[in-house]
Amino acid sequence: MERRDIEIFLELGRELHFGRAAENLHVSTARVSQTIKKLERRIGAPLFERTSRRVALTPIGRRLYDDLDPAYRQIREGVDRAVAAGRGVDGVLRVGFVGTAVGRFVLEVADVFRARHPTCQVQIRESPYSDGTTPLDADEIDVLLAVVQPPRDSGLTASPVLFREDPMLAVSARHPFARRASVSLDDLARDRVLRPRSIPEHIDEALVPRRTPNGEPIERGPAFGTVQEMFALVGAGKGVFPVPTHAARYDARPDVAYVPIPDGSPFEWRLLWRTTAETSRVRAFTQAALDHVAANENPLTDH
């Protein structure tokens, strides 16, 4: 039974008048009559008693009306709520991030967003490094601030780059690299580079290539799940790991040193969301982030 057929049947069941039902639905009286005849042929019994003076539901028609009407109302209400959520900037927006400084950035963007859309609540959540984009895929958050450029077939949409940071290598304060002014990507073959636990291969390779520019393999391990686990392993001399520049300021530790990687690719921060779950809230938050960046030359160090 098609949706329009259900609408016509229910409207006639309410009005019990072919002309008024047709007028309410903006269709012809003939369309209403043809639809009811089609339904009666499909069910195999009359749904309405028709005389020159009145229209009434038959017992079978009444039972069908009583079964369909509340279910159809619930469907309509659900669709209306979904449309309101998709078009309106209210309700709840869940935003994820990884790391101390970018957490502050997300909170500042949330302040800009709330000032524009006071009826929308923003929930901020820190995600473990090893989760990657899993919270998005699992519908645990709506937006994620990350340095990932998702593949075309990932089902994710990325905002324009919000800001870029030069890479640094986090090493133990006792490591020989700690006494150098800089290191190169080729130097990554001279130690073990930690690996985030469980993240997809394309995300890991975007952070750490399999080989150096000279073609030497880069040894990986041990694995870590959170940013703090990573720094603990680095401080204990268990390996090294490339990090954004802001780590030297926001994650300063006596057992960790930060060394610039001049030939490394910059960290490019974007907002990510599921393409099929894009709403006005997501678009408005993205615009707030772009506006906040435009107003602050260095969004992680200004203020």
Side-chain angles (χ1 to χ4, degrees):
M1 188 180 295
E2 297 181 2
R3 181 180 65 86
R4 194 57 167 165
D5 295 344
I6 295 174
E7 288 177 341
I8 290 173
F9 168 73
L10 292 175
E11 190 63 29
L12 183 58
R14 279 189 289 270
E15 292 288 350
L16 297 177
H17 189 284
F18 280 80
R20 287 197 298 270
E23 183 179 352
N24 293 343
L25 295 173
H26 306 289
V27 299
S28 66
T29 303
R31 170 70 185 278
V32 175
S33 180
Q34 290 166 2
T35 298
I36 297 305
K37 288 178 181 178
K38 181 176 70 173
L39 292 177
E40 289 176 332
R41 285 195 300 270
R42 178 174 180 179
I43 291 172
L47 299 175
F48 293 89
E49 295 176 355
R50 309 167 182 82
T51 69
S52 59
R53 295 183 177 181
R54 63 189 291 269
V55 175
L57 285 160
T58 65
I60 292 177
R62 171 54 63 184
R63 175 65 182 273
L64 181 61
Y65 182 91
D66 290 343
D67 286 344
L68 290 180
D69 188 50
Y72 185 70
R73 287 178 183 273
Q74 186 174 7
I75 291 171
R76 285 286 301 272
E77 290 170 359
V79 171
D80 290 345
R81 284 194 296 269
V83 169
R87 294 178 179 174
V89 186
D90 54 12
V92 177
L93 182 70
R94 304 163 298 172
V95 183
F97 70 92
V98 179
T100 308
V102 293
R104 193 195 76 172
F105 172 80
V106 167
L107 289 168
E108 291 174 349
V109 173
D111 287 341
V112 175
F113 177 84
R114 288 191 193 98
R116 297 175 178 179
H117 309 286
T119 60
C120 186
Q121 178 186 356
V122 181
Q123 295 179 350
I124 308 298
R125 163 182 162 171
E126 182 177 7
S127 295
Y129 204 112
S130 58
D131 277 3
T133 60
T134 299
L136 282 175
D137 301 329
D139 192 27
E140 296 172 358
I141 58 175
D142 303 303
V143 182
L144 175 67
L145 181 64
V147 291
V148 178
Q149 175 61 57
R152 289 185 178 181
D153 60 351
S154 66
L156 299 177
T157 297
S159 74
V161 174
L162 298 174
F163 53 91
R164 294 176 174 85
E165 293 186 86
D166 292 330
M168 305 188 82
L169 191 66
V171 302
S172 167
R174 301 183 303 277
H175 198 289
F177 289 169
R179 297 188 292 274
R180 292 173 51 171
S182 66
V183 294
S184 69
L185 289 177
D186 285 317
D187 287 324
L188 297 182
R190 298 175 58 187
D191 204 329
R192 289 188 299 174
V193 180
L194 304 179
R195 177 181 170 84
R197 188 180 301 116
S198 304
I199 69 170
E201 199 69 31
H202 74 274
I203 296 179
D204 184 51
E205 286 194 37
L207 299 170
V208 180
R210 294 185 179 183
R211 293 181 176 274
T212 68
N214 285 336
E216 306 224 20
I218 296 176
E219 184 181 355
R220 304 302 302 278
F224 65 89
T226 68
V227 172
Q228 293 310 313
E229 284 181 24
M230 181 267 289
F231 284 124
L233 288 168
V234 168
K238 303 299 183 181
V240 301
F241 195 73
V243 296
T245 300
H246 77 255
R249 176 180 178 183
Y250 285 89
D251 297 293
R253 299 169 51 121
D255 57 345
V256 175
Y258 298 94
V259 189
I261 314 174
D263 61 343
S265 298
F267 287 83
E268 296 183 332
W269 293 92
R270 302 173 174 86
L271 290 173
L272 307 179
W273 59 88
R274 286 179 296 127
T275 304
T276 57
E278 181 177 319
T279 64
S280 294
R281 291 189 296 272
V282 171
R283 291 189 290 271
F285 191 85
T286 301
Q287 189 60 54
L290 291 168
D291 292 345
H292 181 63
V293 169
N296 295 274
E297 183 178 352
N298 299 301
L300 295 188
T301 58
D302 283 354
H303 309 304

